[in-house]
Amino acid sequence: MAEVKLIGFPLSPFSRRVEWALKVKGVEYEFIEEDLQNKSPLLLQSNPVHKKIPVLIHNGKSICESMVIVEYIDETFEGPPILPKDPYDRALARFWAKFLDDTCIPVLGKVLFGRGEEAEKSKEEFGELLKILDNEVKDKLFFVGDKFGFADVVANFMAFWLGILEEASGVVFVTSEKFPNFCAWRDNYIECSQVKEYLPSRDVLLANFQTRFQAAATPN
């Protein structure tokens, strides 16, 4: 029986963050794929508060929320550090990770799945957030310091999933004319050797989102 188990979903950016951290640390783990439409007793028991993936189970104890899990992995297992050692850089990494997860992703969700005025207002708001990111990543490969780390792991959604969402939905947010720095950062991110191995198949992810958008557009 594996000491470390990960309850997740292969196409989830949040699951992929945790898998990246485990691989960087060289931790052997068992991946338990969750059916998001029919949640298992194990998931509901392991994360009774939010009932969401990912959940890390280590020595029978459950840890929830992807960013919390990544920090736990960093602190628990030997191997290359994920969070910077310098306290200021560590604080910066946490700040940008929180900004990406708590601000950018929820607004994008409203753009894609909202209706009418809410969607239009959210689209303008998301454009302003992209301006902030475009300015932040100017002439930078990574969010903090010269190494791929915590904030960059959390940025996987904006760097990879966002472009696929654009193609699947037909709504374009990012162009090189409007956000040249963000586009340059995104291209470098996807080509980074530390990133490629933990990203899902683009074709599979695109097909999945196309199906979801088609279903959402079909009248009940």
Side-chain angles (χ1 to χ4, degrees):
M1 182 178 293
E3 179 186 15
V4 178
K5 302 175 187 287
L6 173 61
I7 306 173
F9 183 66
L11 302 184
S12 164
F14 307 103
S15 283
R16 291 285 175 165
R17 295 171 182 176
V18 177
E19 287 202 79
W20 180 87
L22 289 168
K23 289 174 181 177
V24 162
K25 293 290 187 176
V27 179
E28 294 186 8
Y29 64 97
E30 176 187 350
F31 185 83
I32 303 172
E33 183 172 342
E34 183 66 29
D35 181 351
L36 301 181
Q37 304 305 317
N38 184 26
K39 295 178 181 179
S40 68
L42 178 61
L43 174 63
L44 299 178
Q45 178 185 350
S46 302
N47 188 0
V49 177
H50 296 299
K51 304 177 178 62
K52 293 180 179 179
I53 59 150
V55 177
L56 187 78
I57 302 176
H58 181 213
N59 291 332
K61 297 179 180 179
S62 302
I63 303 97
C64 307
E65 297 294 310
S66 63
M67 288 196 296
V68 175
I69 297 171
V70 170
E71 288 209 47
Y72 175 85
I73 292 169
D74 196 26
E75 294 171 355
T76 302
F77 299 101
E78 298 293 331
I82 296 172
L83 273 161
K85 292 298 183 183
D86 179 78
Y88 178 71
D89 286 347
R90 193 158 60 242
L92 278 181
R94 288 182 172 130
F95 171 84
W96 286 113
K98 189 172 179 62
F99 176 78
L100 290 161
D101 255 11
D102 294 355
T103 303
C104 296
I105 292 178
V107 173
L108 178 59
K110 291 178 182 179
V111 175
L112 294 172
F113 299 104
R115 293 290 183 269
E117 186 177 342
E118 180 192 40
E120 287 303 315
K121 183 178 179 181
S122 297
K123 191 172 183 178
E124 292 180 11
E125 185 179 353
F126 191 64
E128 293 302 313
L129 296 176
L130 285 170
K131 288 180 183 178
I132 293 172
L133 292 176
D134 188 71
N135 182 66
E136 179 60 27
V137 299
K138 183 178 180 180
D139 300 324
K140 293 171 66 175
L141 291 177
F142 310 111
F143 269 91
V144 181
D146 58 356
K147 294 182 179 179
F148 189 92
F150 184 69
D152 307 290
V153 175
V154 176
N156 65 354
F157 188 90
M158 296 296 292
F160 186 69
W161 270 258
L162 175 59
I164 297 171
L165 280 165
E166 287 182 313
E167 184 174 346
S169 67
V171 181
V172 177
F173 305 101
V174 181
T175 64
S176 56
E177 291 75 23
K178 285 186 177 180
F179 307 108
N181 302 318
F182 182 89
C183 287
W185 166 82
R186 179 183 61 186
D187 293 343
N188 287 324
Y189 186 105
I190 294 172
E191 290 303 314
C192 178
S193 60
Q194 290 180 288
V195 174
K196 282 185 173 181
E197 65 178 288
Y198 86 100
L199 292 177
S201 162
R202 193 183 193 283
D203 292 341
V204 172
L205 192 57
L206 177 61
N208 178 271
F209 279 124
Q210 286 174 331
T211 300
R212 290 176 60 182
F213 282 118
Q214 289 168 2
T218 302
N220 293 328

